[in-house]
Amino acid sequence: MPAQILVVDDEAAIADLVEVYLKNEGFTVHKCGTAAQALASVEAAPPDLAGLDVMLPDMDGFTLCRTLRD
């Protein structure tokens, strides 16, 4: 089963580009544009790895990282 990667970025073009590269390498990618979406996604299916934007509209990426780790 391929690794699950969560990509959180409020700029859709960046998230789409990252998704293309990761999927080409065989990973399963879940994209979110906000921290709230990311938290809901993690509850539904915990990822193996998360790539987080630092400046999200509803929470900074550092706080989101701490929340996900807890």
Side-chain angles (χ1 to χ4, degrees), residues 26 37 44 50 52 62 64:
Q37 292 172 347
L52 309 175
F62 297 112
L64 177 58

Side-chain angles (χ1 to χ4, degrees), residues 24-59:
N24 284 341
E25 295 299 322
F27 297 105
T28 301
V29 178
H30 303 277
K31 292 187 303 184
C32 298
T34 66
Q37 292 172 347
L39 292 170
S41 176
V42 167
E43 283 186 31
D48 297 304
L49 179 73
L52 309 175
D53 185 5
V54 174
M55 296 179 63
L56 295 168
D58 55 345
M59 180 186 299

